[in-house]
Amino acid sequence: MSQAQGLERLFKALANHSDLIAQAYYEGVVYKDSKNQRALNQLKQLKVLVNHSIDGYRISGRLGQFVDSALSSDRLRRLDTDLASWVDTLEQQILMYQDAWDENRIEDAENYSAEIERVIFDLSDNLEENTSYLLMLINSRFANVRTLAEKKKQNVFYISRVELLVQAISSLRPEYLLEMVDEHPALYALLEEQLMRLLPIYHQRLQDILDKLKTFLFELRKIEERAQLVQGFAFFLRQNPGYEMQDWSEQDTIPEQWNQIKPLQLTLSADTQHYAVEGELIAIVQKLRVDSEALLNKKRKPKINKIETVEREIQVMELPLYRKWLRRYFLLLEQQAGQGISAVSFQQKYVQDIDPALWLGCVLNEWLRQQQRHSKIKMEFIQFASHAAFTGNKKVKDIVLCWREETNNPT
Amino acid sequence: MFESLVKRLLQGEFICEITDEAGFQYLQNPENFFQVEDYLQRLNYRLASTQNKLSFYAAYIEIDNAARQDIRKVFQQFRLELHPVVEWLDMMMACLKQDAVLSPGDTLAFSSLLQVIENNQALADRLQAFAKFKDFTSNEDSVKGRLEKLLSTLQKWGYLQLANRDTLIYQVTGKLDYFYQSLQFIQEHEEIPVEQGEEEIAQETLF
């Protein structure tokens, strides 16, 4: 993509997603949802928005400052000051926030809180950007000049910038700041996450810068071109994490370095017809046979599973009471064939523990079961006199069964 | 020598002084070079070398559709390697405190690197950031584990070779010459702004 195309893409994105950018500027954060996710990713890739939290985005420091300037915002004051004075501003804002909180001025407290958040993010962005950029310049350019005059000019430039960074980082008093916001967990977390946790990294970068300055302050050095290329490229990739190189493999003429063959998988087979290697092949085959025999000898005899008989205890299930009485009732019917025996009278005479209605149900059920095998038992219902006319229901008060007598003709 | 060399070339390997010293020396002799070249030509391949002649590899003579398909895969792999390898090279300059990037033949001692990174929070932070790249995610949450993962992946990609297993000394291979060639090409043709002027910071900075 050419620079002109890149610029056009940036302006289009700014215009298309102006609502999201405005929200990030005024409210401090835009949260990701299913509708805006793609737009937010694009704006992040273009460095219009940067991460605020896991699912939130804020306006990037530089764009925010540009908007301040364009709108002549009261935040503009920060543009003319240095990083160390931003730390003073942060402390003042925290004090004013605490006063507003104590006096229950909710709206003022919210405004101060938003301003504190912005100062923290601005400080964090600038410390990150300036330390990494200065380190990259020191590594890839410092002292790599031809004349002493150029060298002197460089020394002044780098020393002044290092001084400003040292002042800014020294003026950050971590314990004091964290103590100030001790009673406000959200601000405490923000301060710790965005500034305090990163201080050791900024310190280390400053130390590395200082080491290079000390070494080459009065010396010239030669940095090889390839080193400058790698350092510049690494810095570019850090600044543009979403960068994707062009697909050069789709060009008509493919660049020389990518013209490489597909790795071939080489496999070989023995030529058994070739007399010159006959001896070697026989040796290989014999070895295989020996191996096989050795393996066969080693083969274990399979175990035979032993079958053991286990004598199990036989459990005798006792017949339910009603089954016992049913059996006796039907036995009595058979013994007194040709004579009808009332189920109720049998029940009253022998069976005491079963409800009469339930007993009649059991008798009826057993008679139906016997009917499927033979029709030797005749049944007769004894019904209650029906009072309610046309109900269609029959109410049985007794069942009389009779075992048919044996005749010569079975039908 | 001819046989093993040709086999390695056909298997897509880069032949350099580090990975195959004898094979590399063999190809330095013009007569041997032409013999290998002649053999490869019968397969529609040719013997190519990186810009500084630090490694040899097999390339296509004619790029037809099938060859283009294979080249596309090589290119996709390079795309995958670009970001982490640049970051690794830049980080090594910081670790070794030198003004030159790694070159084929340079050595990296695991223990020395570990010591430098453990004593430098900024470098430990950079090492941790490799986890965002595919193939560099380590299960171990320690500087040692992450450094092992970094070096083993670069070894798998062919940029490093383990020169001594006991002392864990790695050696940079000739494939890095191919990487620099590709990087230079992209920078020139995509106009990547790698030259950062000191004046620029003076104009843009807020202090």
Side-chain angles (χ1 to χ4, degrees), chain B residues 5 22 26 59 67 75 90 103 110 146:
Chain B
L5 194 62
Y26 181 84
F75 183 77
D90 189 42
S103 295
F110 182 84
R146 290 187 198 113

Side-chain angles (χ1 to χ4, degrees), chain B residues 96-148:
Chain B
L96 304 172
K97 294 185 187 300
Q98 61 185 30
D99 290 335
V101 274
L102 290 174
S103 295
D106 286 350
T107 54
L108 293 173
F110 182 84
S111 56
S112 310
L113 283 178
L114 184 64
Q115 197 180 2
V116 171
I117 297 168
E118 278 182 334
N119 292 319
N120 187 318
Q121 184 58 44
L123 289 174
D125 205 51
R126 286 180 74 171
L127 182 64
Q128 192 175 0
F130 271 91
K132 69 180 178 232
F133 303 122
K134 195 173 170 268
D135 294 330
F136 286 88
T137 318
S138 168
N139 293 330
E140 280 192 54
D141 190 24
S142 66
V143 173
K144 186 170 174 276
R146 290 187 198 113
L147 186 61
E148 275 170 356

Side-chain angles (χ1 to χ4, degrees), chain B residues 149-167:
Chain B
K149 185 70 189 172
L150 172 69
L151 298 180
S152 66
T153 304
L154 289 161
Q155 188 187 356
K156 193 179 88 183
W157 285 353
Y159 293 106
L160 286 179
Q161 179 165 282
L162 192 56
N164 189 319
R165 270 177 210 284
D166 300 327
T167 52

Side-chain angles (χ1 to χ4, degrees), chain A residues 1 3 62 65 79-83 86 126 130 133-134 136-137 139 141-142 153-154 157-158 161 164-165 200-201 204-205 208 211-212 216 221-224 226-238 240-241 243-264 266 268, chain B residues 7 9-12 14 45-46 48-49 52 57-61 63 68 70-76 78-79 82-83 86-87 89-90 93 97-104 119-123 125-126 177-178 180-187 189-202 204-207:
Chain A
M1 189 191 298
Q3 285 199 347
R62 284 190 187 280
Q65 284 153 13
L79 282 172
D80 300 323
T81 56
D82 60 45
L83 278 176
W86 290 18
N126 275 279
N130 283 296
Y133 189 70
L134 197 61
M136 189 274 295
L137 281 182
N139 281 335
R141 299 185 68 83
F142 183 62
K153 202 175 146 192
Q154 258 197 342
F157 174 87
Y158 283 103
R161 261 131 202 93
L164 287 166
L165 276 172
I201 293 172
Q204 186 62 55
R205 284 188 192 147
D208 292 344
D211 287 349
K212 274 276 183 330
F216 295 107
R221 66 174 171 165
K222 179 72 190 153
I223 302 170
E224 65 166 9
R226 238 171 22 181
Q228 284 185 325
L229 171 71
V230 168
Q231 284 173 326
F233 220 109
F235 186 73
F236 169 79
L237 290 174
R238 278 198 290 276
N240 301 276
Y243 162 78
E244 276 202 19
M245 59 188 285
Q246 286 178 41
D247 194 347
W248 292 99
S249 65
E250 294 298 330
Q251 301 285 318
D252 290 340
T253 311
I254 289 177
E256 172 64 16
Q257 67 272 14
W258 288 306
N259 176 4
Q260 292 168 31
I261 66 160
K262 180 187 176 185
L264 300 180
L266 302 179
L268 298 172
Chain B
K7 279 181 188 167
L9 286 167
L10 290 177
Q11 288 175 90
F14 278 75
Y45 300 150
R46 65 184 168 81
S49 63
N52 295 315
Y57 57 95
Y60 290 100
I61 296 175
I63 299 175
R68 195 172 272 275
D70 296 339
I71 289 170
R72 205 170 285 140
K73 283 180 193 154
V74 172
F75 183 77
Q76 293 307 332
F78 178 80
R79 257 187 170 173
L82 174 69
H83 205 145
V86 167
E87 181 56 24
L89 291 169
D90 189 42
M93 286 175 72
K97 294 185 187 300
Q98 61 185 30
D99 290 335
V101 274
L102 290 174
S103 295
N119 292 319
N120 187 318
Q121 184 58 44
L123 289 174
D125 205 51
R126 286 180 74 171
D177 202 31
Y178 145 76
Y180 288 134
Q181 189 180 348
S182 305
L183 198 65
Q184 182 78 41
F185 176 88
I186 299 164
Q187 193 271 319
H189 289 82
E190 295 191 21
E191 296 171 0
I192 304 289
V194 293
E195 285 282 321
Q196 307 288 343
E198 287 151 351
E199 295 74 22
E200 234 176 282
I201 193 172
E204 282 189 17
T205 187
L206 296 171
F207 50 80

